[in-house]
Amino acid sequence: MAGARAYIGSFTSAGGRGVTVADLDPATGALTVAATTDALADPSYLALADGLLYAVSETDEGAVGVFDVSGGAEPRLTGAPRSVDGSGPTHLTVTAGHVVTANYGSGSVSALPLDGGAPSVVRHTGSGPDQDRQEAPHAHQVVADPSGRWLLTVDLGTDSVRICTLDEGRLAVRREVALRAGSGPRHLAFHPEGAHVYVLNELDPTLTVCSWDADRGALAPLDEIRVLADDPKGDAYPSALAVAPDGRHLWTATRGEDVVSVFTLTAGVPELTAVVGCGGHWPRDLAVHPSGRFLYAANECSGDVTWFRVDEAGVPHPEGSVEAPAASCVIFGG
């Protein structure tokens, strides 16, 4: 764990520092800022692959920037940002020789070849019952399944998850799975054993439990559970979820209520066991360290990242925080 780092994304348009590199103490989970760069506008979500840090530029123009992080603490932007042929990219993943983005503004998903070339773009269609938030498609996340054969795209605007393939550089939708109308799915995560998927809904504070068949690329909703112990007092917008590396626990973050909810997983089935404060205001992202010992909340509006020690029951205990204005995500790497 020597030389471990965390990378924090943020909104430069809201006073954020862009990409922050933080040294991570493997004994305590503590973060110490080592360097920052605002070379890319609004790098709200990050992904690390082969010594390179990929970042969306969540702007109307929509782009991806690539940083070299191999030569020291300070990231170096390699070349000009590349257009995703879509607007407002909110998430990305690197898989099969491509960087793939979910574009909230244009309701599309783009696959850009790592070696250059035009993106392959799939444009979602449809809408939902909430005319303020679901008047059109809003792709919010794209995730590769553990087998690497499928891409799952989560669309808040159409209340659905699309199952896609990326073959010979062409992105294609193979099927679309409908979730409850008005739920507003935002993010999903796989259980480590691969047979369950958990979809976190933003417009209603719930978690949809699904089965996953990697052989067929088949997702099937099984149950929907509340992520809060009581009815919300005001705004309650779930934002992010994380599953423990050992598959025993799952955590969700809810903005407005500003809490982290703790679930125990038994045979992949979640049970709400605790709700604790997020350590700040408006937790936009939640990340579990690969060791499973520490949990991190990126609190956008209070401008900090809080770290927690996770006990045997999966309950997070706050240990400290680091200043990170307009923080939007946390990822880990060497």
Side-chain angles (χ1 to χ4, degrees):
M1 293 292 296
R5 291 176 179 169
Y7 299 92
I8 302 167
S10 67
F11 289 98
T12 56
S13 60
R17 297 166 176 162
V19 175
T20 295
V21 181
D23 293 327
L24 189 154
D25 186 331
T28 66
L31 300 179
T32 305
V33 172
T36 64
T37 177
D38 61 359
L40 183 71
D42 289 343
S44 64
Y45 205 86
L46 312 173
L48 195 64
D50 299 324
L52 295 174
L53 184 71
Y54 296 82
V56 300
S57 179
E58 191 177 332
T59 60
D60 289 342
E61 294 78 15
V64 167
V66 184
F67 294 88
D68 184 347
V69 293
S70 62
E74 186 171 350
R76 180 178 59 84
L77 190 63
T78 63
R82 296 172 62 189
S83 172
V84 301
D85 194 15
S87 67
T90 53
H91 194 271
L92 81 170
T93 190
V94 181
T95 185
H98 291 73
V99 55
V100 187
T101 65
N103 310 314
Y104 184 89
S106 53
S108 61
V109 177
S110 305
L112 287 73
L114 295 183
D115 58 2
S120 173
V121 180
V122 166
R123 304 190 187 281
H124 293 179
T125 59
S127 60
D130 186 332
Q131 290 306 298
D132 291 330
R133 298 291 308 278
Q134 297 184 306
E135 80 296 345
H138 292 301
H140 212 302
Q141 186 197 37
V142 57
V143 180
D145 90 306
S147 76
R149 296 173 55 195
W150 310 95
L151 285 165
L152 281 68
T153 71
V154 185
D155 196 303
L156 183 148
T158 62
D159 291 317
S160 61
V161 177
R162 290 167 176 80
I163 317 301
C164 303
T165 54
L166 181 58
D167 295 328
E168 298 182 353
R170 182 175 181 272
L171 189 64
V173 177
R174 300 305 178 186
R175 58 185 59 86
E176 181 178 359
V177 179
L179 303 183
R180 179 173 57 82
S183 57
R186 177 183 173 95
H187 276 199
L188 63 76
F190 286 85
H191 191 280
E193 48 79 26
H196 287 90
V197 170
Y198 309 99
V199 183
L200 185 63
N201 302 309
E202 178 175 342
L203 301 185
D204 190 20
T206 57
L207 186 72
T208 302
V209 184
C210 305
S211 64
W212 171 248
D213 183 337
D215 290 335
R216 298 186 299 118
L219 183 78
L222 302 174
D223 196 10
E224 188 176 317
I225 60 177
R226 308 295 292 178
V227 300
L228 301 172
D230 302 303
D231 291 336
K233 304 175 186 64
D235 290 340
Y237 300 116
S239 57
L241 73 167
V243 180
D246 63 8
R248 295 174 53 211
H249 300 101
L250 179 150
W251 302 274
T252 65
T254 302
R255 296 163 296 176
E257 290 286 292
D258 292 344
V259 296
V260 174
S261 300
V262 184
F263 297 83
T264 297
L265 297 176
T266 303
V269 178
E271 177 187 1
L272 180 63
T273 53
V275 179
V276 303
C278 70
H281 180 37
W282 213 254
R284 187 179 180 91
D285 192 34
L286 197 63
V288 60
H289 187 264
S291 70
R293 297 172 56 203
F294 307 110
L295 191 71
Y296 297 78
N299 298 312
E300 180 182 357
C301 291
S302 56
D304 51 64
V305 172
T306 299
W307 61 88
F308 302 81
R309 173 181 53 83
V310 177
D311 67 20
E312 282 299 310
V315 178
H317 300 270
E319 295 287 315
S321 66
V322 66
E323 184 182 5
S328 53
C329 85
V330 182
I331 64 170
F332 306 100

